[in-house]
Amino acid sequence: MDPYAAQKSDKFSFGLWTVGNAGRDPFGEPVRAVQEPNYLVRKLAECGAYGVNLHDNDLVPFGASRTERDRIVREFKQTLKDTGMVVPMATTNLFTHPIFKDGAFSANDPKVRAFALQKTMASIDLGVELGAKIYVFWGGREGTEADACRDPRVAIQRTRAAMDFLCGYVKDQGYDLKFALEAKPNEPRSENYFPTTGHMLHFISTLQHHEMVGVNPEVAHEVMAGLSFVHTVAQAMEANKLFHIDLNGQKIGRYDQDLRFGSEDIKGSFLLVRLLEGTCGGKSYTGPKHFDAHAYRTEDESGVWDFAKGCMRTYKLLAARANAFDSDPEIKALIAEVKDAHLDPLLNASYSRASAQALKAAPIDATAVAKRGLGYERLDQLTIEHIMGARGL
Ligand code: DIG
Ligand code: MN
Ligand code: MN
């Protein structure tokens, strides 16, 4: 039995649009057949996946009648039942139809903003009907080219109004659903509002129902912004706002590549899995591990399933190495908390005049402290050796 084969208990999920990606890009036509959603679900189940995510129109074509929509949903529910797959997350496609060419919630035309709310409410109904507990908002076209087209503050206010309204809708419907906001710095718009997860974390704090809203950080999107994805996720976890996550690979300084997880920046991927699995101490992430990625355009259908299995297998390989890493006595010694019996009580207590006086008077020999080596070269060399299998497993 392959110890790194995916199991449902791993909670790996894929969007229909990921393994269903037909290979179209801005410079070329599709290279693969468009697969039917029920077929994709069955194949994902065979690969050991736990869940499948979807935009409304990944399953129900834009403009479908209610009867057609209900037939499609009925068949899809049967496939979920037959395969034991679940729908952990749903989202709205607010970027393909030309009506969204100037954005959705932040668009200048009130008809567009109203249509976006209408479409999102129907899509939330669909997601809840399929069992989704998380609802993602990726503002793909919420942005600008001609930046004078609207005051960015108005875009923020319109988005806040939409979020507050939709949270109100979820509460009014009595849905057990949380929102997860996904940031991206640009593409397809020249500049996107709320470009990073950090911007989203602040924005959430300004919402009427902020308690039901978290983030869905994506590796590629934070890397596009030149940021550390591990630090992004750590801040979201520390704020108890990591409601979902989009895992993939990305080379820095390029368009949104949505590559197979772990195929780029193996050390960053290792440190991310270590953080999510909690082997480094602290709370682990227990939500669905979603791969928002797709196979290279060079691949046929068998390459798509190589891609899907590769995402999950790499995650499990890195999780095993993270366990070995944090069980390694030398690592433990290198990263052990530095203790100081006199200063710790002062540093860990909240402010008091006494502690301020004591800190002012504390005898600290700056020259001696500055001479102390931290051992990080050894630590990082051992990190590389664990990742390369030269140490640990
Ligand atoms: C792209 O990174 C976005 C869309 O695919 C979707 O809205 C969201 C959900 O993972 N990610
Ligand atoms: Mn992406
Ligand atoms: Mn994504």
Side-chain angles (χ1 to χ4, degrees):
M1 158 66 171
D2 175 4
Y4 302 110
Q7 312 290 329
K8 285 202 187 305
S9 54
D10 296 317
K11 294 183 75 172
F12 291 133
S13 64
F14 289 82
L16 281 176
W17 69 92
T18 67
V19 289
N21 180 292
R24 176 194 299 277
D25 69 23
F27 305 100
E29 292 305 307
V31 295
R32 295 183 287 264
V34 175
Q35 302 288 4
E36 197 271 329
N38 295 284
Y39 171 76
L40 293 173
V41 172
R42 285 192 288 274
K43 290 292 289 183
L44 281 171
E46 285 173 22
C47 295
Y50 146 84
V52 60
N53 302 324
L54 54 98
H55 300 84
D56 47 350
N57 300 137
D58 295 337
L59 182 66
V60 180
F62 185 93
S65 68
R66 181 73 203 194
T67 312
E68 182 57 1
R69 176 252 188 232
D70 291 348
R71 181 197 65 75
I72 291 169
V73 171
R74 206 168 29 253
E75 185 184 1
F76 195 71
K77 280 177 172 176
Q78 186 56 50
T79 304
L80 294 173
K81 192 161 173 257
D82 296 346
T83 58
M85 292 279 279
V86 296
V87 175
M89 179 272 274
T91 183
T92 325
N93 185 323
L94 294 175
F95 42 85
T96 298
H97 193 286
I99 190 174
F100 298 123
K101 61 192 175 188
D102 184 33
F105 301 132
S106 66
N108 280 359
D109 184 340
K111 288 189 182 60
V112 175
R113 299 201 299 272
F115 185 76
L117 285 172
Q118 184 186 88
K119 190 171 194 285
T120 302
M121 285 188 280
S123 181
I124 286 172
D125 294 343
L126 171 64
V128 168
E129 186 175 346
L130 293 172
K133 293 284 185 284
I134 300 151
Y135 203 82
V136 162
F137 289 83
W138 169 61
R141 296 197 186 276
E142 309 292 7
T144 61
E145 288 76 34
D147 220 272
C149 70
R150 72 185 126 254
D151 181 329
R153 291 166 294 186
V154 169
I156 292 167
Q157 289 150 10
R158 287 174 181 165
T159 308
R160 179 180 300 117
M163 286 297 112
D164 288 344
F165 184 90
L166 291 166
C167 283
Y169 178 72
V170 166
K171 294 170 91 71
D172 186 30
Q173 295 293 103
Y175 290 155
D176 174 17
L177 196 69
K178 294 195 293 189
F179 287 177
L181 309 186
E182 177 173 345
K184 185 174 176 182
N186 58 68
E187 194 198 73
R189 300 305 295 268
S190 177
E191 296 289 346
N192 276 47
Y193 300 120
F194 309 105
T196 73
T197 297
H199 290 81
M200 288 297 193
L201 286 170
H202 170 265
F203 176 61
I204 289 166
S205 71
T206 72
L207 298 178
Q208 192 181 349
H209 303 291
H210 51 77
E211 73 288 344
M212 64 180 279
V213 187
V215 290
N216 175 47
E218 178 176 308
V219 177
H221 301 175
E222 301 299 321
V223 171
M224 284 170 72
L227 300 174
S228 158
F229 190 67
V230 172
H231 292 185
T232 293
V233 170
Q235 181 159 1
M237 292 176 85
E238 203 275 336
N240 293 317
K241 288 292 184 183
L242 186 66
F243 286 9
H244 195 259
I245 193 165
D246 275 2
L247 299 168
N248 55 23
Q250 176 72 28
K251 284 176 186 276
I252 197 161
R254 287 164 174 77
Y255 62 92
D256 187 10
Q257 295 180 298
D258 292 341
L259 298 170
R260 185 181 78 256
F261 177 68
S263 60
E264 294 298 334
D265 182 15
I266 192 67
K267 182 157 79 171
S269 304
F270 167 76
L271 294 168
L272 171 64
V273 171
R274 179 171 179 250
L275 179 69
L276 294 174
E277 293 296 304
T279 60
C280 53
K283 235 169 48 169
S284 60
Y285 166 69
T286 56
K289 295 186 270 289
H290 175 227
F291 298 105
D292 187 4
H294 55 75
Y296 302 136
R297 189 165 181 266
T298 53
E299 301 310 289
D300 61 8
E301 185 187 340
S302 67
V304 169
W305 306 114
D306 289 340
F307 149 79
K309 290 172 195 164
C311 286
M312 298 186 284
R313 187 173 170 81
T314 297
Y315 187 100
K316 293 191 77 166
L317 283 164
L318 292 172
R321 298 215 171 280
N323 268 307
F325 179 83
D326 284 302
S327 308
D328 183 329
E330 189 173 353
I331 297 294
K332 286 181 175 180
L334 282 164
I335 61 175
E337 179 102 14
V338 179
K339 301 281 187 196
D340 184 304
H342 174 57
L343 293 174
D344 285 346
L346 298 176
L347 293 169
N348 298 336
S350 49
Y351 177 83
S352 72
R353 191 169 299 172
S355 59
Q357 293 307 332
L359 275 171
K360 279 184 170 182
I364 298 169
D365 178 347
T367 307
V369 172
K371 282 200 181 98
R372 183 171 160 262
L374 282 300
Y376 292 169
E377 280 292 346
R378 177 69 180 157
L379 173 61
D380 200 69
Q381 175 61 25
L382 292 183
T383 304
I384 297 298
E385 293 190 13
H386 270 275
I387 292 170
M388 295 175 76
R391 189 179 171 100
L393 291 176

